[in-house]
Amino acid sequence: MLVWREAMSTGHPEVDKAQKQFIAHINEFETTLRGAGADAAIGIFLAGLYEQVSINFGREEKVQRECAFPFQDAHHREHAALLGRLADIQNLYQAMPHKVDHGALLRDLAALIRDWVSHHMVQSDVMLRRYVPHQGSPHPVRARP
């Protein structure tokens, strides 16, 4: 199970809330996987996820623009790559017979989740923290990239 830590915070309440929800969704996936099996767990995990993540990424990119985040372009490319991998997994899952072994798809999904959390959230997203205005501060803190 993944645990949200304050060190993962971007400093923006809406972005952090979305990331906490994503971690909770991953944890629900793991629980469902143990209880109901791969087919059910993957189906439940993927249901509506692309749309929700697209909305969350859009919100995050809006915050980045508002904060003059200097890594916006690279971050946008990361978002596009994650969404592309997610779409590929969704397409593979939808094309699969439900009685088939889902081992390869589970490995792909686990790799996506691992990259998403350990690289994107923990390394890329937290850089936003230096640029988000802190409560009581009218302007963002401009740190050097």
Side-chain angles (χ1 to χ4, degrees):
M1 294 298 229
L2 293 174
V3 177
W4 172 265
R5 290 174 173 54
E6 199 55 38
M8 299 166 77
S9 173
T10 65
H12 191 278
E14 289 181 44
V15 174
D16 289 345
K17 179 181 177 184
Q19 291 186 342
K20 288 174 186 177
Q21 289 171 338
F22 183 61
I23 288 175
H25 193 62
I26 293 168
N27 290 337
E28 290 168 13
F29 167 69
E30 290 180 11
T31 300
T32 305
L33 184 61
R34 285 192 301 272
D39 186 47
I42 295 169
I44 292 168
F45 182 75
L46 294 176
L49 184 61
Y50 186 93
E51 294 78 13
Q52 186 59 49
V53 168
S54 295
I55 291 167
N56 292 344
F57 282 173
R59 181 183 309 118
E60 186 177 313
E61 290 176 11
K62 179 179 182 280
V63 168
Q64 291 173 353
R65 286 188 301 276
E66 291 169 352
C67 296
F69 185 61
F71 308 105
Q72 290 176 54
D73 292 338
H75 208 85
H76 175 75
R77 287 190 298 275
E78 283 184 33
H79 285 168
L82 289 169
L83 286 170
R85 288 174 66 188
L86 180 58
D88 289 345
I89 289 171
Q90 284 182 316
N91 291 335
L92 285 171
Y93 176 73
Q94 290 171 354
M96 281 183 144
H98 292 287
K99 298 291 182 189
V100 73
D101 177 17
H102 289 79
L105 189 63
L106 277 173
R107 284 188 295 278
D108 290 347
L109 189 54
L112 173 63
I113 291 168
R114 183 178 50 251
D115 291 347
W116 198 318
V117 173
S118 67
H119 173 72
H120 185 73
M121 288 175 64
V122 173
Q123 293 178 26
S124 296
D125 283 344
V126 297
M127 291 190 315
L128 182 60
R129 185 180 325 142
R130 298 186 320 194
Y131 301 89
V132 171
H134 299 292
Q135 288 199 347
S137 172
H139 302 290
V141 175
R142 301 278 189 233
R144 294 192 147 181

